[in-house]
């Protein structure tokens, strides 16, 4: 079992920035690929970003490329999502996830989510 806890959500103005954190416990953090997903009201959950165990490779949804950056600090068992140039369309509950497969279509472990609201 892996426990994941997100933090750092809140209210930001359009064009502003937020950094989300996801702290992991229960298993060796460096053994897992990590991902970020989001779900807006009335919409399905969508992929945002993912990072390999080593941190050497990342991938992003087209909607956030050039604005969001996923990173990890294995010494702190934490993955981050730096969100810049925020848009109202980024408003959603953001979830972190863990899996052994960087390309997983069904991620094994999920956090509780943190709300991000971007005002226009």
């Amino acid at each position: 079992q892996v426990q994941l806890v997100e933090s750092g959500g809140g209210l930001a103005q359009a064009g502003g920035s937020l950094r989300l954190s996801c702290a992991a416990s229960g298993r060796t953090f460096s053994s897992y690929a990590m991902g970020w997903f989001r779900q807006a009201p009335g919409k399905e959950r969508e992929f945002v970003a993912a990072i390999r165990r080593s941190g050497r490779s990342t991938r992003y949804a087209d909607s956030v490329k050039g604005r969001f950056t996923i990173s990890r600090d294995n010494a702190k068992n934490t993955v981050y999502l730096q969100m810049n140039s925020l848009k109202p369309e980024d408003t959603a509950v953001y979830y972190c996830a863990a899996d052994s497969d960087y390309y997983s279509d069904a991620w094994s472990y999920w956090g509780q989510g943190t709300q991000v609201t971007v005002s226009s």
Side-chain angles (χ1 to χ4, degrees):
Q1 242 266 325
V2 175
Q3 291 80 44
L4 304 172
V5 180
E6 301 95 335
S7 62
L11 187 280
Q13 293 182 325
S17 298
L18 286 172
R19 189 180 73 162
L20 306 183
S21 299
C22 176
S25 62
R27 295 283 180 88
T28 302
F29 175 71
S30 61
S31 297
Y32 294 92
M34 300 294 297
W36 286 97
F37 295 76
R38 66 187 183 186
Q39 186 169 23
K43 298 183 66 177
E44 296 183 358
R45 186 174 297 183
E46 65 176 344
F47 170 79
V48 175
I51 187 167
R52 285 193 183 275
R53 298 179 183 184
S54 65
R56 293 190 64 188
S57 298
T58 58
R59 58 190 180 94
Y60 298 91
D62 288 342
S63 59
V64 306
K65 285 181 180 177
R67 300 189 299 120
F68 291 10
T69 303
I70 187 171
S71 62
R72 67 192 298 160
D73 185 340
N74 287 350
K76 296 182 178 180
N77 291 345
T78 301
V79 64
Y80 303 95
L81 186 69
Q82 179 66 46
M83 305 184 294
N84 298 328
S85 301
L86 283 164
K87 303 175 181 180
E89 304 94 280
D90 296 319
T91 296
V93 176
Y94 283 71
Y95 300 87
C96 68
D99 202 274
S100 60
D101 185 1
Y102 178 62
Y103 297 101
S104 178
D105 292 324
W107 292 67
S108 297
Y109 305 101
W110 294 86
Q112 84 290 347
T114 186
Q115 177 70 47
V116 171
T117 302
V118 183
S119 62
S120 59

